[in-house]
Amino acid sequence: MEERGIESVPEAERRGRPRDLFLVWFSSNMSYLPILLGGSLMVLGLNVWQAVAVLLAGNTFWALVGLLAVSGPSTGSPGAVIMRVLFGVRGNRLIGCGLGWLTAVGFEAINLSVTVLAGQALLAETGVDGSPAARGVILVLVAVVTFTISVYGYDAILRMSRAITLLLTLSLLVAGALVAAHARPAADGSAGAALGPLAAALVGLTVVASGPLSWLCGADYSRYLPRTAPGRAVAGWTAAGGWLASVFLGLVGVLAGTVVDMADPLTSMTALMPTWFHPVFLVAVIVGTLANNVLTSYSSGLLLQGAGVRIRRARAVLLDGVLGGGIALYALVAANFLTALNNLLALSVAYMGPIIAVYATDLLLRRNRYDAAELADTRPGALPSTGVGVAGTGAFLTGTAAALLCVNTTLWTGPVSTWLGGADLAAIAGPLVAALVYTALTRAGHTRPDRPRRSIDASGAPHDCAAADAAGTRLVPVVDLKLSAGGLVVIRPARREPTDPPG
């Protein structure tokens, strides 16, 4: 298969089954991050059963990632293109693609930092001193492997997923069993907690939700499936892969937190393992984090192109690698910077949640009826004439404002969070407000988003309306819905075959 960039994938080049997506998302989330997120719940002072409940609730946001993936087969386009419908061509460059790209690069830097630290610990196991030079060599090697796989694209990612899933599953199952054998489920750290149980649980919910809410790229991988791929299967296999890996490893982090200090889990967890298994665990951390970064860097390259940077995807991925590697290198020698970067990523829930909510709401309102040719048309007037989608942008701004009022981080604590004693409702308030506002603004013209101008048949080819008229096929006058600068619906005449009953 020819590797595609931001353009849509032709129907003739698509293949595969929805269940292939399970391995892609499962392997990329069998990484260190879910363990860290699960362990953080115990650091907050929750008991085991409270932490498990929060872990399950926070990971339900994987359903949104699965829903976004449904738009891939219907258009053959990545999320960076589909979001033009939501925010307009220019608005999307800043909101959907711009903020998404910055967040992706931040996560790439965090993943590279973790991989270097795990590699340094692995060298220490073999008696090699982890000097600054050794850190630099590890960083370069990991970055080269990560971004090389990303450049080769979806086929390489799928082959990588199949190759490493078994290795990661077996290794981390053993790690989980070893942790469970030492766990003390009755442990309760609430006595020294800074927050009450409810406030701590809500902060933990936002922390866990930051995992799935960092993935804006569900369609980037499902777009290689045939148009006929069932939407429920696409959503289900995508969500199941990320959910299962995140819940399992999050549970490992929770159980480890009953015994050791999960503020430094990479070091602390080795105390629960026999000496012979230390290197195996560290290799699993390295490989899992690398797999996570492969998906992140692949999609960040598409987002950079979608942000209006005229650059080939391979070079976009290379640029991401240089930036992410540079940030990671600086973070490794400036501990305070790494802390600040982590806080910034925690705040990303405040804006990524609303972006994903607007995307998901639009998909539901228009019943996944997008037109790949129209999405690719960036000429003035093809999409919102001002280049900014009023409904999407307005919903994003209000949703983000609502989330910031409710967030609780060391960088910013919103007044609602302060009033509630430190409770963090950002992961709930932001997406909910964004979805409601987008629905209201979209229906301001007393209707909902409808089908695009071009009617697509099962083969993926546009219908020729003139030919249909000549053949005697009954066509009806319809309208396309576009949002103007004033927020009203612009009605354009068109003709389409009737498929829905009137009314």
Side-chain angles (χ1 to χ4, degrees):
M1 179 188 298
E2 178 187 355
E3 178 51 34
R4 293 279 165 176
I6 199 168
E7 71 273 16
S8 63
V9 181
E11 180 70 20
E13 296 182 15
R14 301 197 217 169
R15 63 173 183 265
R17 298 161 296 183
R19 65 186 184 188
D20 294 334
L21 296 171
F22 177 85
L23 289 179
V24 171
W25 289 97
F26 180 80
S27 63
S28 64
N29 285 280
M30 289 292 283
S31 65
Y32 175 75
L33 182 59
I35 297 176
L36 180 63
L37 296 180
S40 68
L41 299 179
M42 303 305 292
V43 175
L44 287 170
L46 299 174
N47 64 39
V48 170
W49 304 114
Q50 292 169 339
V52 170
V54 170
L55 185 69
L56 294 174
N59 279 300
T60 59
F61 284 91
W62 278 107
L64 285 178
V65 181
L67 180 59
L68 301 192
V70 175
S71 60
S74 65
T75 63
S77 301
V81 170
I82 297 171
M83 287 188 293
R84 290 171 180 168
V85 174
L86 317 177
F87 307 113
V89 174
R90 295 178 183 173
N92 182 48
R93 289 172 181 171
L94 176 63
I95 299 173
C97 293
L99 292 177
W101 177 74
L102 288 173
T103 304
V105 170
F107 273 101
E108 289 169 13
I110 291 293
N111 283 337
L112 287 172
S113 301
V114 169
T115 306
V116 170
L117 293 174
Q120 184 178 357
L122 185 62
L123 288 177
E125 292 281 342
T126 62
V128 177
D129 183 29
S131 63
R135 284 187 175 189
V137 171
I138 296 171
L139 177 60
V140 171
L141 289 176
V142 171
V144 168
V145 172
T146 299
F147 299 109
T148 297
I149 296 174
S150 301
V151 164
Y152 278 98
Y154 176 76
D155 280 348
I157 291 172
L158 186 58
R159 287 194 294 271
M160 175 204 70
S161 301
R162 291 168 177 164
I164 69 175
T165 293
L166 181 61
L167 167 67
L168 290 176
T169 301
L170 291 177
S171 301
L172 294 174
L173 277 175
V174 173
L178 293 171
V179 169
H182 291 85
R184 297 197 298 267
D188 185 356
S190 60
L195 300 173
L198 180 58
L202 290 172
V203 170
L205 178 69
T206 298
V207 168
V208 175
S210 69
L213 288 180
S214 67
W215 294 106
L216 192 59
C217 55
D220 295 6
Y221 310 100
S222 61
R223 67 184 175 132
Y224 291 93
L225 298 177
R227 181 185 300 276
T228 55
R232 290 184 180 180
V234 171
W237 286 113
T238 296
W243 183 89
L244 184 61
S246 299
V247 169
F248 166 67
L249 293 180
L251 183 59
V252 172
V254 168
L255 294 177
T258 65
V259 186
V260 298
D261 181 11
M262 290 301 286
D264 183 15
L266 194 61
T267 301
S268 301
M269 284 186 63
T270 56
L272 307 178
M273 303 171 184
T275 303
W276 65 267
F277 190 71
H278 291 176
V280 177
F281 174 70
L282 292 171
V283 168
V285 169
I286 293 171
V287 174
T289 307
L290 185 149
N292 184 284
N293 237 16
V294 166
L295 247 67
T296 303
S297 60
Y298 175 82
S299 291
S300 68
L302 296 176
L303 289 168
L304 184 61
Q305 289 181 305
V309 179
R310 296 184 178 276
I311 185 173
R312 294 178 61 87
R313 194 179 60 77
R315 293 179 180 176
V317 171
L318 178 61
L319 176 61
D320 280 4
V322 172
L323 289 175
I327 296 172
L329 184 62
Y330 183 67
L332 290 168
V333 299
N336 291 336
F337 178 79
L338 185 57
T339 300
L341 185 58
N342 274 311
N343 288 328
L344 285 173
L345 294 178
L347 273 176
S348 69
V349 172
Y351 60 84
M352 290 296 289
I355 291 174
I356 289 177
V358 170
Y359 190 164
T361 303
D362 182 81
L363 189 148
L364 292 173
L365 288 175
R366 70 175 65 241
R367 301 180 185 177
N368 194 30
R369 291 163 177 165
Y370 298 97
D371 184 341
E374 190 174 55
L375 287 170
D377 190 352
T378 59
R379 294 172 300 173
L383 287 170
S385 57
T386 62
V388 177
V390 174
T393 303
F396 162 75
L397 292 175
T398 52
T400 300
L404 289 173
L405 290 174
C406 301
V407 76
N408 182 3
T409 69
T410 56
L411 289 179
W412 166 258
T413 300
V416 173
S417 178
T418 301
W419 181 64
L420 294 175
D424 189 331
L425 295 171
I428 300 173
L432 180 61
V433 169
L436 291 175
V437 171
Y438 185 75
T439 301
L441 290 177
T442 300
R443 289 178 172 172
H446 309 291
T447 185
R448 61 173 174 79
D450 213 326
R451 296 173 183 161
R453 266 184 306 115
R454 301 171 180 85
S455 178
I456 304 296
D457 62 22
S459 67
H463 284 303
D464 186 331
C465 292
D469 278 332
T473 303
R474 186 172 64 91
L475 300 178
V476 296
V478 294
V479 295
D480 278 337
L481 306 179
K482 300 293 179 184
L483 293 173
S484 71
L488 300 177
V489 175
V490 176
I491 300 177
R492 300 189 303 172
R495 292 173 68 80
R496 183 181 305 122
E497 294 175 325
T499 54
D500 292 330

